[in-house]
Amino acid sequence: MGFADGTRLLEGSIVYALVVLTDISDADLERSTPCSEWNLRELLWHVNESMADLHEGIVTGGVELFEVVRGATVPAPMRMAEPRGTAQVLASRLLSVVSMRGSSPSVSIGDRPLDGGVAASVGAIEVAAHAWDISHACGHNLDVPKQLARDLLELSHDVIPEPHRSPFFAPPVKVGPSASETDKFVAFLGRMPG
């Protein structure tokens, strides 16, 4: 598994997210999530911002660089948007551009160039992990498709080197050899599976 597979993995992650996003109620928006500092509404805002950035990077070849602070106040325009519907629209739009164009040869994050396959790979991990968070928060516990979870776990070892996990990822959670592919994937990202 390598970064050349990023576009395929990003497509799979978006399809998984679209399935997860179909069944969120108003009451669910205030639920806690595996991202302890965010409730589901705040997590959806974060996911929406990530998908908008991925779309921008693919379409324009660049993404504005903003300081990211977990738990920071969400910008006013995003607070006013309905996060569930916005997430579905952004995921559908992103899937369309990824399916038609693939990833950009390179994407500039601020003034730093990044290989497009690497950007798509990181996006795939982000989208799938947060889709799992959303499903888990709603009590649906929908697994990431088995092969996708296996491929994303393998890729995660390259994307998330041990010395640079913090503050974005908690330490890996230990799981047994019989754990599902989804549980292995989310446990590596520091989430408690099951």
Side-chain angles (χ1 to χ4, degrees), residues 15-29 31 40 44 82-85 87-88 131-142:
V15 168
Y16 168 65
L18 280 166
V19 171
V20 167
L21 290 167
T22 61
D23 197 15
I24 302 172
S25 71
D26 287 340
D28 290 333
L29 293 175
R31 288 178 181 258
L40 185 55
L44 284 166
E82 199 287 305
R84 291 167 301 179
Q88 290 173 323
W132 180 88
D133 293 335
I134 293 164
S135 179
H136 191 77
C138 294
H140 302 138
N141 302 323
L142 181 64

Side-chain angles (χ1 to χ4, degrees), residues 80-167:
M80 295 184 324
E82 199 287 305
R84 291 167 301 179
T86 301
Q88 290 173 323
V89 168
L90 290 173
S92 296
R93 184 179 77 153
L94 180 58
L95 181 60
S96 177
V97 76
V98 169
S99 297
M100 289 173 36
R101 298 173 84 165
S103 63
S104 300
S106 68
V107 177
S108 294
I109 311 294
D111 61 354
R112 295 184 177 212
L114 180 66
D115 176 81
V118 174
S121 298
V122 170
I125 294 167
E126 166 95 353
V127 170
H130 285 318
W132 180 88
D133 293 335
I134 293 164
S135 179
H136 191 77
C138 294
H140 302 138
N141 302 323
L142 181 64
D143 278 350
V144 178
K146 189 174 184 176
Q147 187 62 51
L148 178 61
R150 183 180 296 131
D151 292 345
L152 291 173
L153 174 60
E154 184 179 332
L155 197 59
S156 295
H157 287 278
D158 294 328
V159 172
I160 308 165
E162 190 58 42
H164 303 292
R165 289 183 71 90
S166 179

Side-chain angles (χ1 to χ4, degrees), residues 16 33-34 132-144 173-176 178-188 190-194:
Y16 168 65
T33 70
W132 180 88
D133 293 335
I134 293 164
S135 179
H136 191 77
C138 294
H140 302 138
N141 302 323
L142 181 64
D143 278 350
V144 178
V173 174
K174 292 197 183 293
V175 293
S178 63
S180 72
E181 299 300 330
T182 293
D183 285 355
K184 291 175 187 174
F185 168 57
V186 299
F188 179 76
R191 289 149 166 88
M192 185 61 68

